[in-house]
């Protein structure tokens, strides 16, 4: 008999001690072991069952192994009404009326990542309470054109702002044991022909403009799921695009989670499977006829797709299930429409509202000398939650802009409510926007409104658009204010010098013909359940506005990059992003086109003084961080908040660079008279450009200018530094 030495016993004990606790202590290893074990017990049929929808918003589990169905829901700014399993009809639940949170552009306009976390946490809790595993949001496509129907769902035109806001939002959502789903990956920047259009952009535009938000979501936000877009990217559908789904997402970003298709965005079986898509959703056929159902099974049987590829897909889904504790009794239960959720919606709304202009400090409204306010316009009473298509919500409540004023004013002031203009549009899913203009009716409503405005102390026009225009599936025909609102606003302003215009919209409007005629203008977004209350608080000065525009408002549509170059919506189903990296303010600044309101613009009832900008050094190495300090003082009579923005220019570079780019920002809250030194940090490595030749980011040594600014159009202090 072979003798086992004492040494061998000790050694094997040691090995056992080091290997066992490793798995016990390392959650990743434990998860992988569990996933391996589950996969090893599954039949091929069961695996394939997990890779395609088995209802409108679920994919199958494997009951005998304790793997549940995966439940998904739109998204992004609330948990959508429950849909029937097999049709788009409402399921008829009576307990699915959610909290409506401000939409993406509104959230971005707060420039406050803590609020994104707060709103996201509330959203995640609501999704969990409703039994969801994946909330289909946030949407973070870059605003390339003012006309994109879905701009309101997204977070504006700047990749840095998008990244800073989506990371805490994702972390908030996922803290509730529910996965966020970043969408739409990639280049779904227009709704026109979204299902067929081919997007051509340079690698540089991809890396500098369209990818950073997704990269931040994966690498910093730890997002669990990604949704592939409808369109083609460089000739291949996004959902069968190995460059996007495998090379970039898996290999470069090390994404471990699940890639699902947008609803009915899959066109092939083998190509999509090989390219890296995990889950097919929403295809318009019987579930077994999905590309990832019987056809995928056949492809495996015929050896076109290996079972290892299938296992990988299952692995990604199970990984998300473990991360969200789907099979764990300790999973968070969530909560629904709580006072805390309303408060979170209010907090976002109140910091999102942008004061565009405020001549003679017309705002806030001082009630001492106001007995009557004319309330004019369809948006005063319109509820928006249900609109927009897939992001539309059945909400527990939505405070309209009029209701907000009524709530806050009680009987102290007489509100003279008058329609002013009528919504003359209708949106149909098949034909899109239908506008039936009736000039005579417009004139009559206008006349009435002008009379009421003339005899009121203050006139507020609740203007803008609605979800007939800001909507999934269709881009806007133009940037104009519809329904004769321009004339209405002009005439009201003529008879009442205290005219305030409030815009509800999620994308830029042409304000060029009213801007000079109106003393005060606010941008109020689609601002969630508490939107009306937040707006009233801003109008009445209980809240000092602190929102800043997440996009530029150009003077006219033809000033904007894609339109100036005739690159929207493309030709013969191809759209070439010829403006390249010059998107949003990068274009206007570089081309010296003065916008009406620049990116990052937003006033306050206070004023802020910027002084003493300093950097910690004058010269930096490539691996260092630039620390910029600046003193900000509230020189106004009221407490307020300022978002200090740091833009950087690279004046000497071998390639064209935007005149300046946002690289840091900080929102600082200051009491009247208070001053604070704030610090903004920028890694030198983030100052680079995508070098097409070397296929990497490069920072060319030389001088860089740092601009401490109140908006992209309002540089307050500059400082030069050198990079070695
Ligand atoms: C939209 C997605 C949405 C999905 C499910 C699609 O039409 O593009 O954003 O999540 O439908 O409703």
């Amino acid at each position: 008999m072979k003798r086992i030495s004492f040494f061998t016993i000790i050694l094997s004990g040691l090995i056992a001690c080091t290997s066992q606790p490793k798995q016990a202590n390392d959650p990743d290893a434990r998860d992988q072991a569990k996933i391996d074990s589950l996969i090893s017990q599954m039949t091929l049929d069961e695996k394939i069952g997990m890779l395609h929808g088995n209802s409108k918003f679920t994919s199958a589990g494997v009951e005998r192994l304790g793997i549940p169905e995966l439940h998904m829901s739109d998204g992004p700014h609330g948990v959508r009404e429950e849909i029937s399993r097999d049709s788009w009809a409402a399921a008829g639940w009576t307990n699915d009326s959610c909290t409506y949170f401000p939409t993406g552009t509104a959230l971005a306009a707060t420039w406050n990542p803590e609020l994104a976390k707060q709103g996201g946490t509330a959203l995640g809790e609501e999704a969990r309470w409703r039994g969801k595993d994946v909330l289909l949001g946030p949407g973070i496509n870059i605003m390339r054109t003012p006309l994109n129907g879905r701009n309101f769902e997204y977070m504006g035109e700047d990749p840095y702002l998008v990244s800073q806001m989506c990371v805490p939002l994702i972390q908030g959502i996922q803290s509730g044991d529910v996965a966020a789903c970043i969408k739409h990956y990639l280049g779904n920047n227009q709704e026109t022909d979204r299902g067929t259009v081919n997007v051509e952009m340079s690698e540089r535009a991809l890396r500098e403009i369209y990818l950073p938000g997704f990269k931040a979501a994966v690498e910093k936000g730890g997002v669990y799921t990604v949704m592939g877009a409808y369109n083609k990217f460089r000739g291949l559908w996004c959902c069968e695009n190995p460059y996007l789904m495998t090379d970039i997402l898996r290999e470069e970003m090390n994404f471990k989670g699940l890639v699902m298709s947008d609803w009915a965005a899959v066109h092939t079986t083998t190509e999509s499977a090989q390219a890296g898509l995990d889950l097919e959703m929403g295809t318009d056929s019987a579930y077994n006829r999905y590309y990832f159902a019987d056809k995928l099974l056949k492809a495996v049987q015929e050896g076109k797709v290996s079972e290892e590829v299938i296992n990988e897909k299952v692995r990604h889904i199970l990984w998300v299930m473990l991360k969200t504790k789907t099979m764990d009794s300790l999973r968070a239960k969530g909560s629904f429409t709580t006072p805390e959720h309303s408060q979170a919606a209010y907090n976002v709304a109140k910091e999102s509202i942008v004061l565009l202009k405020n001549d003679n400090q017309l705002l806030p409204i001082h009630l001492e000398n106001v007995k009557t306010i004319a309330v004019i316009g369809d948006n005063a009473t319109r509820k928006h939650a249900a609109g927009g298509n897939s992001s539309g919500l059945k909400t527990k409540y939505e405070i309209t802009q009029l209701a907000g004023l009524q709530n806050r004013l009680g009987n102290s002031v007489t509100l003279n409510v008058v329609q002013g203009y009528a919504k003359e549009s209708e949106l149909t899913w098949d034909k899109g926007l239908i506008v039936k203009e009736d000039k005579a009716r417009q004139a009559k409503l206008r006349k009435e409104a002008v009379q009421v405005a003339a005899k009121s102390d203050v006139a507020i026009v609740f203007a803008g658009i609605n979800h007939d225009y800001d909507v999934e599936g269709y881009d806007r025909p133009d940037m104009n204010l519809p329904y004769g609102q321009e004339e209405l606003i002009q005439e009201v302003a003529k008879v009442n010098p205290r005219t305030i215009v409030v815009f509800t919209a999620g994308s830029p409007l042409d304000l060029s013909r009213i801007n000079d005629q109106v003393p005060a203008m606010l941008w109020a977004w689609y601002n969630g359940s508490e939107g009306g209350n937040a707006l009233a608080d801003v109008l009445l000065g209980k809240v000092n506005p602190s929102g800043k525009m997440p996009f530029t408002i150009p003077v006219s549509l033809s000033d904007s990059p894609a339109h100036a170059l005739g690159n929207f919506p493309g030709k013969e189903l191809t759209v070439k992003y010829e403006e390249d990296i010059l998107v949003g303010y990068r274009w206007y600044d570089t081309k010296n086109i003065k916008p009406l309101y620049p990116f990052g613009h937003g006033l306050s009832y206070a004023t802020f003084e910027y002084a003493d900008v300093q950097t910690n050094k004058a010269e930096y190495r490539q691996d260092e961080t630039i620390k910029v300090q600046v003193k900000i003082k509230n020189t106004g009579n009221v407490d307020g908040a300022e978002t200090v923005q740091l833009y950087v220019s690279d004046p000497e570079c071998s390639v064209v660079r935007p005149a300046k780019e946002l690289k840091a920002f900080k929102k600082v809250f200051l009491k009247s008279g208070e001053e604070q030194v704030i610090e903004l940090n920028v890694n030198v490595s983030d100052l680079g450009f995508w070098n097409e030749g070397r296929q990497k980011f490069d920072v060319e040594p030389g001088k860089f200018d740092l601009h401490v600014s109140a908006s992209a159009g309002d540089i307050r202090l500059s400082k030069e530094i050198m990079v070695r």
Side-chain angles (χ1 to χ4, degrees), residues 30 43 83 92 123 176 193 226 259 355 361-363 382 415 455 472 523-524 549 553 560 593 598 614 655 668 675:
R30 223 171 37 225
T43 66
I83 303 293
L123 197 53
D193 305 321
V226 174
V259 184
L355 180 60
Q361 295 180 6
L362 182 57
L363 281 166
R382 182 158 299 281
L415 297 177
K455 62 174 194 193
E472 176 188 347
W523 201 282
M549 293 308 289
I553 303 183
S560 69
I593 300 168
Q614 286 180 23
V655 298
V668 50
E675 70 178 27

Side-chain angles (χ1 to χ4, degrees), residues 57 74 80 88 136 150 153 183-184 188 194 227 230 262-263 390 472:
F57 282 94
D74 285 306
R80 185 176 180 173
W88 289 101
L136 303 173
R150 291 186 93 170
E153 288 187 58
K183 65 188 189 184
H184 307 85
N188 185 182
R194 69 173 176 176
M227 185 188 288
Y230 283 121
D262 200 341
W263 268 234
S390 70
E472 176 188 347

Side-chain angles (χ1 to χ4, degrees), residues 5-17:
S5 74
F6 178 67
F7 179 73
T8 316
I9 292 172
I10 297 279
L11 186 68
S12 51
L14 268 178
I15 292 170
C17 286

